[in-house]
Amino acid sequence: MKTLKIIVFLTICLCLKSISAYRIFEIDGVKTILALENETISVECKADIYMAYCGFVHPSGKRFSGLDQNTGRCLIKINATNADSGLWKCHIGGTSIGLEIMQVINVRIVNHVAAVQKNVTGRHGKPVTLACTTAKGFTPIRYCRFEPPNGVPFSINPDITDMNAILNRYYYPRNMSLDRGDCAVTIRKLKYEDVGLWTCGAGLDDRKEHTDVISLEVEGFYTMSKASATGIASGVIGSLIFLSALGFIVWKKRRFLGSVTIPRETPELVEEHELERLSGDISAQPHSSLRSEGLPRIVVQSPSPASGSTMQ
């Protein structure tokens, strides 16, 4: 009976340990550790050689020796905090002189549910998978849901397959499981409207919904947009330069042909000029002409002598 109690106690301890254990994923050749705040984790590098030495470089730049002489493993145990988040690097040296083995480990301090990859890039028209998971070991989740950047939110589970996809686009990946703590969705054909922030939500036994955000991008989308914007800007600048050059040529041509604007005379100046012309014309004419044209002619005749009559 006592032995049975010990076995039960050890089983409970192991279950509790598995529930509180951190999660490890291999993504594009990089090991990713998802851990809770103040959780004790082991940052470990592995190699198929006899290790003569190994060391770690903390994200802050600090260096630690990592070779365990008893087990021959290259690891370091830490009580993980936010200061430990980031890329850890390890270097392993063998018995032979030469190049070292280098590995990178990504440590992330997360909440109870976290995105496996915070940033995902897919190809247009190809399938892509977004996944969140529980950070407390293989904790089952009650439901899984997603909020796309453009569209209606939806819930999903393993019953939604490629054959009965939601909106003929979204289905649950075959290699995932709600019982293992996986909240995931596969987009059948990636579109540009899928670009943006996706929110995953999972319900745990605490009756709360825990969420995280995944940034989804389409390969070459921002490059294409930037190139289009650059082309438009170049076209506008080119048009402005052409119009400026055309205006300059027209201005130079008018100046060369002598097209000068003559200012309009004021009434006072016009009257003054007319008087000057009039006085000049009068002074140039002889006085006889002035008299003959300006005064009437008077003819005076003397009386004729008497013809032969005599007065008496």
Side-chain angles (χ1 to χ4, degrees):
M1 187 68 180
K2 185 176 181 180
T3 304
L4 180 59
K5 289 182 179 180
I6 293 175
I7 293 175
V8 172
F9 175 77
L10 291 175
T11 302
I12 294 175
C13 290
L14 289 173
C15 291
L16 292 175
K17 184 177 180 180
S18 63
I19 291 175
S20 62
Y22 50 92
R23 300 289 297 271
I24 300 176
F25 296 90
E26 188 84 17
I27 303 172
D28 297 331
V30 177
K31 183 187 295 184
T32 298
I33 298 177
L34 304 180
L36 299 175
E37 179 79 17
N38 296 319
E39 185 176 8
T40 301
I41 64 174
S42 295
V43 182
E44 182 176 2
C45 287
K46 297 181 179 180
D48 296 329
I49 62 171
Y50 177 80
M51 300 181 190
Y53 62 89
C54 82
F56 287 91
V57 181
H58 189 272
S60 64
K62 295 181 181 179
R63 295 176 176 270
F64 304 92
S65 177
L67 184 61
D68 188 336
Q69 298 294 338
N70 296 324
T71 62
R73 298 165 63 190
C74 180
L75 61 85
I76 181 173
K77 290 187 177 182
I78 61 171
N79 190 30
T81 65
N82 287 323
D84 300 314
S85 294
L87 297 179
W88 289 67
K89 299 178 182 179
C90 73
H91 52 90
I92 300 172
T95 55
S96 59
I97 304 299
L99 298 177
E100 297 179 339
I101 297 175
M102 299 292 295
Q103 294 181 8
V104 176
I105 301 174
N106 185 20
V107 176
R108 290 170 48 201
I109 307 302
V110 298
N111 295 320
H112 293 286
V113 172
V116 177
Q117 286 181 278
K118 293 290 293 182
N119 301 286
V120 177
T121 301
R123 297 181 61 185
H124 185 266
K126 301 294 182 181
V128 64
T129 297
L130 309 178
C132 291
T133 187
T134 55
K136 296 176 62 176
F138 297 104
T139 305
I141 58 178
R142 295 186 298 107
Y143 65 85
C144 167
R145 60 183 298 272
F146 282 90
E147 298 175 12
N150 301 295
V152 181
F154 58 89
S155 60
I156 196 167
N157 62 25
D159 293 333
I160 306 300
T161 65
D162 188 23
M163 302 301 295
N164 61 340
I166 298 174
L167 298 178
N168 201 31
R169 299 196 64 212
Y170 310 123
Y171 60 92
Y172 195 86
R174 291 183 178 180
N175 59 341
M176 301 288 183
S177 171
L178 295 182
D179 293 335
R180 198 173 57 188
D182 301 326
C183 180
V185 62
T186 295
I187 304 174
R188 175 176 288 162
K189 291 183 179 180
L190 187 60
K191 298 181 179 180
Y192 291 124
E193 65 188 42
D194 298 320
V195 172
L197 298 178
W198 287 68
T199 300
C200 64
L204 303 182
D205 290 337
D206 58 4
R207 297 296 173 179
K208 296 180 181 180
E209 181 174 285
H210 301 270
T211 63
D212 202 358
V213 176
I214 302 172
S215 175
L216 177 60
E217 297 180 5
V218 176
E219 186 177 304
F221 176 71
Y222 291 106
T223 302
M224 180 187 65
S225 301
K226 184 177 180 181
S228 301
T230 303
I232 294 173
S234 300
V236 172
I237 295 174
S239 300
L240 292 176
I241 294 174
F242 173 76
L243 292 175
S244 300
L246 183 61
F248 179 76
I249 292 173
V250 172
W251 178 78
K252 290 290 290 184
K253 186 175 181 180
R254 288 172 61 87
R255 186 175 180 84
F256 177 76
L257 294 176
S259 177
V260 180
T261 302
I262 300 176
R264 299 182 60 184
E265 295 179 331
T266 62
E268 293 79 2
L269 292 177
V270 173
E271 182 180 358
E272 182 181 353
H273 293 166
E274 290 179 351
L275 289 175
E276 288 178 357
R277 289 196 299 270
L278 180 61
S279 62
D281 294 340
I282 293 176
S283 61
Q285 294 177 354
H287 293 284
S288 60
S289 176
L290 176 61
R291 287 198 299 270
S292 62
E293 292 178 5
L295 297 175
R297 293 183 65 182
I298 301 175
V299 179
V300 179
Q301 294 182 355
S302 61
S304 58
S307 59
S309 61
T310 306
M311 292 187 63
Q312 298 182 357

